[in-house]
């Protein structure tokens, strides 16, 4: 079974961390497929990309929640703080994973990585198989709130798409 890595970032996150994540994939796992979700053309991006703005769910959520989406994310809200300020950024991760699993199925493992993640040691499908006990695995760090920087989907298990 093969591995596909997906992520999402805008130009600022690409410059800050996404380019390093992609470089670590190319260096340590060069045979791994990648798929990136963005909201703009990103100069120097050496990976297949999908424009989030073209996905119907993205447009629907933005339109119906414009009053609680920060101005920086395309909405009209100016006085948000904490999680209320950040939810629309996290939602982009949900839309990317939804699109990848349902519209762009992959007959292997799909691994979602946050853009600030790095591959420091290669891993294989066998490594994933040994750790993944269900069709979907959320690997989180030691923070008290979930920080799901890595989510793995088994593209051959029906339950992954249902999730």
């Amino acid at each position: 079974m093969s591995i596909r890595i997906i992520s999402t970032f805008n130009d600022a996150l690409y410059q800050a961390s996404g380019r390093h994540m992609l470089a670590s994939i190319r260096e340590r796992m060069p045979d791994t497929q990648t798929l990136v979700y963005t909201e703009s053309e990103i100069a120097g991006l050496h990976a297949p990309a999908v424009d989030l703005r073209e996905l119907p769910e993205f447009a629907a959520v933005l339109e119906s929640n414009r009053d609680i989406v920060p101005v920086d994310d395309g909405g009209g809200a100016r006085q948000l703080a904490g999680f209320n300020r950040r939810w629309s950024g996290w939602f982009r991760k949900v839309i990317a994973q939804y699109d990848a699993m349902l519209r762009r199925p992959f007959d292997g493992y799909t691994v979602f990585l946050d853009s600030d993640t790095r591959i420091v040691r290669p891993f294989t499908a066998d490594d994933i198989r040994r750790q993944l006990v269900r069709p979907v695995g959320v690997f989180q760090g030691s923070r008290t709130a979930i920080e799901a920087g890595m989510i793995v989907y088994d593209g051959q298990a029906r339950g992954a798409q249902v999730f």
Side-chain angles (χ1 to χ4, degrees):
M1 194 179 305
S2 55
I3 299 171
R4 167 179 68 173
I5 295 176
I6 62 170
S7 190
T8 182
F9 41 76
N10 58 23
D11 190 55
L13 284 174
Y14 173 75
Q15 297 303 327
S17 62
R19 63 192 172 102
H20 301 295
M21 179 202 60
L22 291 173
S24 75
I25 295 167
R26 284 190 303 273
E27 179 183 338
R28 293 186 174 85
M29 297 178 65
D31 296 329
T32 302
Q33 292 187 32
T34 57
L35 181 60
V36 174
Y37 288 81
T38 67
E39 292 175 64
S40 63
E41 294 285 325
I42 297 177
L45 181 64
H46 301 291
V50 175
D51 189 334
L52 282 167
R53 298 169 299 182
E54 295 178 6
L55 303 179
E57 298 82 10
F58 181 80
V61 168
L62 180 61
E63 184 58 36
S64 64
N65 295 284
R66 203 168 287 281
D67 62 321
I68 59 171
V69 173
V71 171
D72 295 348
D73 289 343
R78 297 182 186 280
Q79 301 297 322
L80 299 173
F83 288 110
N84 290 330
R85 168 126 183 80
R86 298 183 65 199
W87 79 268
S88 64
W90 294 327
F91 181 71
R92 285 155 168 78
K93 298 176 186 186
V94 173
I95 291 294
Q97 292 169 69
Y98 177 86
D99 181 73
M101 292 305 297
L102 296 180
R103 293 193 184 102
R104 302 165 210 285
F106 183 73
D107 190 29
Y109 292 113
T110 294
V111 178
F112 173 83
L113 293 180
D114 275 345
S115 67
D116 60 353
T117 305
R118 305 290 179 278
I119 305 295
V120 295
R121 183 175 50 104
F123 56 89
T124 66
D126 287 337
D127 294 328
I128 293 173
R129 187 177 303 108
R130 282 192 294 275
Q131 297 295 318
L132 192 65
V133 296
R134 294 190 174 106
V136 177
V138 177
F139 298 85
Q140 72 182 75
S142 58
R143 297 172 89 183
T144 55
I146 188 167
E147 179 62 22
M150 181 177 185
I151 303 173
V152 179
Y153 301 90
D154 181 348
Q156 294 181 348
R158 188 169 181 268
Q161 285 188 339
V162 171
F163 178 81

